[in-house]
Structure formats: structure tokens, C-alpha cells
Amino acid sequence: MTFDDGLLDDEAALAHGDVRLRYLAEGGARVRREAVAAQEAVGVAVERLSEGQARAVVAAGPDSRLLRAVLEPVCPVPFVAWPGHGLPGWAGSLDLVVVLAPDGRDVATAAAVAEAVRRGCQLVVAAPEGSLVADHAQGRYATLLPTQTGDQLAVAVVVLDLLDRVHLGPRTDPEVIATALDEVAVACGPHRDIAVNPAKILAIGIADSNPIFWGGTVLAARAGRRIAESVRRATGRTALAADAEHLLPILAATAPADVFADPVADGGPARRPALVVLDDGSTEPAVRETRERLEEAAHAVGVRVETISSEADGHVARYAAMLSSGMYAAAYLQLGLDA
């Protein structure tokens, strides 16, 4: 499939992708909706959990990985992400178990919730009311945060707001995150011209490549993995997100760009890597040094370098903004390929 950048400003093509683009544009609204729906339950949970700090925090269920990316570097007590079945054998009444279940239908997650109730753990469950998971969150030390949208990020923001209030997580203000998502929606929206739309520019930059994504912090790396997954689904092409030690050999093995190559005579252009750096403003020397190594390796063989960045207020807001920008780019890739 050949990428046609003209489709990115074509009204008919944009109408074809309206459902996906509209969903992305409503990201901020979903965060606000979840925050309002859970406001009363969050207040109850904060009051209960403020009575004494937990010995440890266990994030259970398959959606626990986002919490791990946010909490592991900053949680003041031991933190464990437990995406598999059940709970760690040591988890008990002194520990806080947190469960994200945006659709509430996962049987294994419901079993983990029931196990937490049986052991007398402090328990916070974010799930739709009346769902399988919510029905198991019944106990003296359990709090259900009722969810509305099925959006993992929006649901996670509510839980992170709660953990912030009981001093177990980083500063998390749902309105700040919603505003960051709104700003991305304005900057990357379908009717913003291709010349000034960062998501369309990124889509064009990686359209003829197999993109490789790198983020220097835990959250930036997670955003890269999510965006790579979205690009694979949208295009059916290879897209990889990995640490620098895995990406440097790919760049080293790439043949230098040949400006005199004849794509027609050579049987069509071969897709080369394109390096996409996710920059969340980290000033850590190790992050800067690794980024320089990757960019130098890319420039040495003529590999294009693109950047997804955010200056939003706070780690979670920057993660959300970068993720949304990358998702917009994946949507425009799909449109341009007419996939």
C-alpha cells in the first residue's frame, strides 16, 4: 500500500475515519466523566485509607501495568504489579490491593478481587457497577469506584488521584490531565492543516518506514509500546518499541541511505527504520546520553528521527498527551494508506 498524504486533509477521507478520530478527541471528556462519577466513592476511600499507611500496594489484574509504570518509581511503600491470577501469597490485611477493571468482565480479575476480600485486604476496585468484578468487591474493607467509559487511561486517572490523596502516588489532578488531552485534540484534530498538525506530520514522517519507538523514562517507554501496538493494528506493518540496547543493533545493521538509488529499478522502495523519540522532558543525564547515542546512530546511516513530546504539567499528564498524539498519528497512517 502506498501512503497518500493528500488524504489527511481530504474531507471524505477524514469522514471515513471519523469514529476513531472522535474517540481520540473525547479523551479529556472521558477523564472528567470518570472523575465526577467516582467523586463520592473516592472521598470515602480516602477517609478509610488515611487511617494508616498500607504496608504494601498490590496492583492486581491484567490492567495493572499502567499503575506499575506510574507508581514503581515513587511509591513510598513496596509496590507489586500482579497481572496474573490471584494475589501474592503474602498479601493480607495490612496491604492495599488496587484493581483496574474498565469493562468488569474478566473472570480472573473477579477471582483476585474475591481473594482480596477473603484475606481482609484493603481493597479499591474501579469497575462498572453491576459487572462481574464489581459484584465480587463486597466487603468491610472494599471500595468500588464506579466507572462509566471503559477507557483504561481515564479509569487509571481516578485511581491515581485517590492514591495521590493518600500519599501513595505522584501528584495526579484529573482536570490537568483532561486539559492536556484537550490540547492534543486541538493540535492534532482532523481539520487542522497538515502543515501545522504534529500528528499528521509524524504520520508522514514514518509512513514509508518500519518505525522504532524509544522513551527514556518508564512512562515514556510505556507510551511508546502502546503507540507501536496501535501502528501495527492500523497498518499491518512492523513497529517496535524497545530499550536502547535493542534498538541500537537495528540502527547499526541498517545500510546507509543511498540518495542515488532508483526505487523503480530496484523493485520498489525498501522500508527502512525511522526512530521516534518520546520526550517527556526528563532531565536525567542517563536519559539525555542514551537519546544522543540513538540519534547519532540514526543520523550516521541516514535514518529519519521524529519526536513526540509534551510540556503538560505532571508525569501522568505528559504520558497521556504523548500517547494521544501517537494514537492520532496511527489513525492518520491508516487514513493515508486507506487501510
Side-chain angles (χ1 to χ4, degrees):
M1 291 183 290
T2 302
F3 183 82
D4 181 359
D5 60 14
L7 294 175
L8 303 190
D9 281 339
D10 181 86
E11 292 295 330
L14 291 171
H16 180 67
D18 181 70
V19 172
R20 185 175 185 187
L21 293 169
R22 187 179 298 274
Y23 180 83
L24 292 171
E26 292 171 348
R30 289 192 296 275
V31 170
R32 294 186 181 93
R33 184 179 172 190
E34 293 289 6
V36 170
Q39 185 174 13
E40 182 178 346
V42 167
V44 171
V46 168
E47 184 176 354
R48 175 168 59 81
L49 294 173
S50 296
E51 295 175 0
Q53 191 173 69
R55 176 182 63 178
V57 177
V58 180
D63 287 302
S64 63
R65 292 180 178 88
L66 174 55
L67 293 182
R68 176 173 62 189
V70 177
L71 294 174
E72 261 187 346
V74 298
C75 188
V77 300
F79 173 84
V80 176
W82 200 262
H85 295 282
L87 295 173
W90 49 261
S93 60
L94 298 177
D95 306 306
L96 170 61
V97 176
V98 180
V99 177
L100 297 186
D103 64 17
R105 294 177 293 184
D106 186 67
V107 175
T109 302
V113 169
E115 181 69 10
V117 171
R118 187 185 69 80
R119 296 191 196 182
C121 300
Q122 297 287 335
L123 176 64
V124 173
V125 177
E129 289 183 301
S131 65
L132 176 66
V133 172
D135 287 345
H136 285 76
Q138 307 292 329
R140 179 181 177 184
Y141 304 110
T143 300
L144 174 68
L145 306 182
T147 66
Q148 310 288 316
T149 65
D151 183 335
Q152 186 205 47
L153 176 60
V155 172
V157 167
V158 171
V159 173
L160 289 169
D161 178 32
L162 187 160
L163 295 174
D164 172 21
R165 297 191 200 186
V166 296
H167 311 295
L168 290 173
R171 181 171 57 87
T172 305
D173 184 338
E175 182 55 35
V176 169
I177 295 166
T179 298
L181 289 170
D182 289 344
E183 291 172 352
V184 171
V186 171
C188 300
H191 301 295
R192 189 170 175 87
D193 187 80
I194 199 169
V196 292
N197 187 315
K200 291 181 181 180
I201 292 170
L202 175 59
I204 293 169
I206 64 175
D208 297 322
S209 72
N210 290 324
I212 55 178
F213 296 84
W214 176 83
T217 65
V218 175
L219 277 174
R222 177 175 173 79
R225 289 192 296 272
R226 293 286 310 281
I227 295 167
E229 177 185 338
S230 185
V231 169
R232 289 194 296 269
R233 287 200 308 265
T235 66
R237 294 180 178 176
T238 300
L240 173 67
D243 294 333
E245 58 263 31
H246 298 122
L247 299 182
L248 285 168
I250 294 174
L251 295 171
T254 301
D258 182 0
V259 296
F260 300 107
D262 184 344
V264 176
D266 294 341
R271 282 199 292 274
R272 294 165 54 80
L275 174 64
V276 182
V277 174
L278 285 97
D279 177 12
D280 60 359
S282 174
T283 58
E284 294 207 9
V287 173
R288 292 201 307 269
E289 180 182 343
T290 303
R291 175 175 177 172
E292 290 172 1
R293 289 172 59 208
L294 281 166
E295 291 180 343
E296 288 173 3
H299 292 316
V301 292
V303 164
R304 189 181 185 112
V305 178
E306 301 284 350
T307 304
I308 300 174
S309 62
S310 172
E311 297 180 356
D313 184 14
H315 297 297
V316 181
R318 289 193 289 274
Y319 164 80
M322 291 191 301
L323 177 60
S324 183
S325 297
M327 294 298 190
Y328 266 107
Y332 292 132
L333 272 173
Q334 189 171 29
L335 281 176
L337 292 168
D338 197 21

